[in-house]
Amino acid sequence: MTQSHGFETLAIHAGQEPDPLTGAVVPPIYQVSTYKQDGVGGLRGGYEYSRSGNPTRTALEECVAALEDGTRALTFASGLAAEDCLLRALCAPGDHAVIPDDAYGGTFRLFAKVASRWGIGYTPAHAGDLDAVRAAIRPGVTRIVWCETPSNPLLGVADIAALAAVAHDAGALLVVDNTFASPYLQQPLTLGADVVVHSTTKYMGGHSDVIGGALVVEDAGLAAELAFHQNAMGAVPAPFDAWLTLRGLKTLGVRMDRHCANAERVVDLLSRHPRVAEVMYPGLPGHPGHDVAVKQMKAFGGMVSFRVNGGEEAAVRVCDRAELFTLGESLGGVESLIEHPGRMTHASAAGSPLEVPGDLVRLSVGIESADDLLADLERALG
């Protein structure tokens, strides 16, 4: 397959040629730990041990790389495992990173509670404010500028191309967490990013049945460094997990179209509802990052956050009353989810500069019938 093929074609075929032995059109699950060698050091297809490489995982990695328009993808047991590998491959004690002031709580926890213990410093900055990012950079020390766009859970938007210029001017790499957009809506490497991070658990897997993560790069040297650490650290996905994620990728395009369409209906309802104080969605013309989102995204995604009149307890009641929107963490599956970030996904950021408002509710809008989702939100809002 080549990049001249369309996204949906790549999602179905990249890394997934029919099996040469049987003609099976779906890559087999190579549920194997080790491989017979043709003499000492004579590896068939380069495989020796499934921590180092597995054909099912290879198929997934080739597909993910194609969808992100990168040269190499590496997959992991979770999104945070991917992030941990990235930090340990790129940073040493004394290095520094700039992270978003509205980052995912797990990312913040990784920096604040794990990486910092090993001497990696970090400074939160508003990724949508280039001057703030520049001010947070420590010349000669900052190794990474980290970005989520749209961000979790405040749906902030950052200009990837502009951030790449800022990072590169300082001798740093730009890392973009593309989980919320998915490669169907946005390809950060084509905009100047150096590394793309995914929790493949979310939209890429798409069915709430598998945990995984990925890193995607363009530079061959960076790819080799990350691959060394992937093998040395060993937090790789099992073959069946890789297979499930690959199956999810086949329908990513059509699912994202429905996620986006349903989210727009939900945003319209919330924007007019008297119990909603503010709606956060990049597709709204009044969103501070709307113009940038129009420039770098195909559509605006299936994630919606809003603030409820009445404060934190009112927000919690909305979460408790929802029925079709399942109360739960995670996002990006075919089913709709609702959560209270301050007490759930972002509880680890409490008391920090990344603490989220108590009256905030986050929705992952699924692909159910939109009218049913609207009726459920009407009930939940009372």
Side-chain angles (χ1 to χ4, degrees):
M1 303 302 296
T2 69
Q3 292 300 335
S4 63
H5 289 94
F7 184 92
E8 291 86 348
T9 302
L10 292 173
I12 294 169
H13 294 287
Q16 303 168 77
E17 294 297 323
D19 178 56
L21 178 64
T22 65
V25 297
V26 174
I29 303 169
Y30 285 88
Q31 194 65 46
V32 57
S33 62
T34 194
Y35 305 81
K36 182 183 185 301
Q37 298 187 17
D38 297 323
V40 175
L43 309 183
R44 296 187 193 181
Y47 296 104
E48 57 180 337
Y49 187 60
S50 277
R51 184 192 69 246
S52 304
N54 174 281
T56 312
R57 193 171 92 220
T58 298
L60 171 62
E61 292 178 343
E62 289 181 0
C63 186
V64 170
L67 296 183
E68 279 289 6
D69 201 12
T71 60
R72 181 88 182 263
L74 302 164
T75 55
F76 297 84
S78 70
L80 282 170
E83 294 185 10
D84 182 47
C85 177
L86 176 65
L87 289 182
R88 290 204 258 178
L90 298 186
C91 297
D95 286 343
H96 174 260
V98 178
I99 68 171
D101 64 358
D102 56 352
Y104 163 54
T107 299
F108 171 71
R109 182 177 58 228
L110 180 63
F111 275 98
K113 305 296 185 182
V114 180
S116 64
R117 294 179 57 204
W118 299 97
I120 300 174
Y122 68 93
T123 301
H126 184 51
D129 183 342
L130 296 179
D131 289 335
V133 174
R134 287 191 190 95
I137 288 174
R138 299 177 186 173
V141 180
T142 298
R143 181 76 172 120
I144 290 173
V145 174
W146 195 284
C147 168
E148 294 176 15
T149 182
S151 67
N152 181 8
L154 299 179
L155 281 300
V157 172
D159 188 324
I160 295 171
L163 274 180
V166 170
H168 296 160
D169 285 347
L173 300 179
L174 178 64
V175 176
V176 178
D177 185 334
N178 202 30
T179 298
F180 267 28
S182 87
Y184 182 68
L185 300 183
Q186 180 174 269
Q187 293 176 317
L189 294 177
T190 65
L191 299 170
D194 299 287
V195 185
V196 173
V197 175
H198 278 284
S199 170
T200 58
T201 308
K202 313 304 193 298
Y203 287 109
M204 296 178 85
H207 294 80
S208 301
D209 57 8
V210 62
I211 301 290
L215 301 174
V216 193
V217 297
E218 178 69 28
D219 180 77
L222 181 55
E225 186 69 15
L226 292 171
F228 172 83
H229 281 78
Q230 179 198 41
N231 181 53
M233 295 162 65
V236 296
F240 185 54
D241 292 349
W243 187 88
L244 282 172
T245 305
L246 196 57
R247 182 179 68 165
L249 284 175
K250 293 177 186 289
T251 60
L252 179 59
V254 292
R255 286 187 287 105
M256 291 306 297
D257 284 339
R258 175 60 72 87
H259 284 299
C260 293
N262 279 359
E264 290 178 2
R265 294 280 305 277
V266 166
V267 166
D268 181 63
L269 167 68
L270 295 174
S271 297
R272 295 181 286 104
H273 202 285
R275 298 204 174 201
V276 175
E278 180 185 2
V279 181
M280 301 168 185
Y281 187 67
L284 288 170
H287 187 285
H290 176 71
D291 291 343
V292 172
V294 168
K295 179 178 68 173
Q296 67 188 23
M297 297 179 72
K298 180 178 179 179
F300 304 110
M303 299 302 298
V304 180
S305 291
F306 62 98
R307 301 180 71 171
V308 180
N309 287 321
E312 182 169 348
E313 294 306 319
V316 170
R317 285 195 297 272
V318 170
C319 295
D320 288 339
R321 287 178 183 148
E323 296 176 3
L324 193 55
F325 277 86
T326 301
L327 179 63
E329 300 192 6
S330 197
L331 58 103
V334 293
E335 63 287 304
S336 293
L337 299 176
I338 189 170
E339 67 124 357
H340 184 267
R343 297 189 183 183
M344 296 171 68
T345 54
H346 290 69
S348 61
S352 79
L354 281 75
E355 182 173 0
V356 298
D359 58 2
L360 187 72
V361 174
R362 191 191 74 179
L363 304 177
S364 175
V365 181
I367 66 172
E368 301 95 336
S369 299
D371 288 343
D372 295 330
L373 296 177
L374 299 183
D376 190 48
L377 286 174
E378 288 275 21
R379 285 192 301 270
L381 287 163

